[in-house]
Amino acid sequence: FDDLCRRFAIDNNHLLRKNGIAVIWKAVSESSQVIIVSASIENWVRPFFLQFGNEVQVACTKIDVRHERVTGKFLTKNCYGQEKVKRIDRAFPHRKTYELIAFGDSKGDKKMLEYADRSYYKPFRAVSEVYV
């Protein structure tokens, strides 16, 4: 399953929004900490961000895979809505000591966007826009 996910990311890297990737590279170059928070399955999200090495964390819904088979069960809560805020707090617990900038494009991002100091909803739709 993990091999399928890695191959999917390699074959479909073009699906990532170029401006979004540019924002991540800029943040990483400025020594900012970056976390990708998604309700999607971690196994297939993580390979899209391997180009960043350990500079980008991934917090997604984890599924149970046993003996190379997907069981259909979650190992974690679905990373949606308030769960996204919880994942951010776990990764970066001292909330008052940093500025949180969040980017989102779905209903499940609403709580995270409200929680952030600065938030952008569907920011990478226009080709010329880059945010940071």
Side-chain angles (χ1 to χ4, degrees):
F1 179 68
D2 287 336
D3 287 339
L4 284 172
C5 293
R6 278 190 289 279
R7 283 195 305 262
F8 180 84
I10 290 166
D11 294 344
N12 293 283
N13 201 37
H14 65 277
L15 296 174
L16 297 177
R17 297 188 187 278
K18 288 182 175 119
N19 287 337
I21 295 300
V23 167
I24 294 172
W25 277 118
K26 185 173 189 307
V28 166
S29 74
E30 294 172 350
S31 299
S32 295
Q33 295 182 324
V34 176
I35 185 169
I36 307 299
V37 186
S38 175
S40 295
I41 303 304
E42 186 169 316
N43 305 62
W44 80 268
V45 172
R46 184 176 299 281
F48 279 101
F49 299 96
L50 292 177
Q51 62 189 305
F52 298 102
N54 293 329
E55 299 297 319
V56 172
Q57 294 182 48
V58 175
C60 301
T61 303
K62 292 185 180 189
I63 59 170
D64 188 17
V65 180
R66 295 184 194 188
H67 309 292
E68 299 183 23
R69 292 191 177 181
V70 176
T71 68
K73 296 179 182 178
F74 285 175
L75 292 176
T76 62
K77 287 186 178 180
N78 188 8
C79 190
Y80 180 91
Q82 189 62 33
E83 186 62 24
K84 290 187 178 204
V85 173
K86 290 178 183 177
R87 301 290 181 92
I88 292 168
D89 280 342
R90 255 183 250 136
F92 306 107
H94 307 289
R95 181 64 184 92
K96 301 235 185 249
T97 64
Y98 61 87
E99 179 182 32
L100 176 61
I101 303 169
F103 300 86
D105 64 1
S106 72
K107 187 172 113 177
D109 296 324
K110 185 176 183 215
K111 296 286 186 185
M112 176 183 70
L113 294 171
E114 290 170 350
Y115 185 63
D117 297 303
R118 285 193 287 155
S119 61
Y120 301 93
Y121 182 67
K122 295 187 178 181
F124 306 117
R125 305 293 176 171
V127 175
S128 63
E129 296 180 76
V130 176
Y131 295 82
V132 233

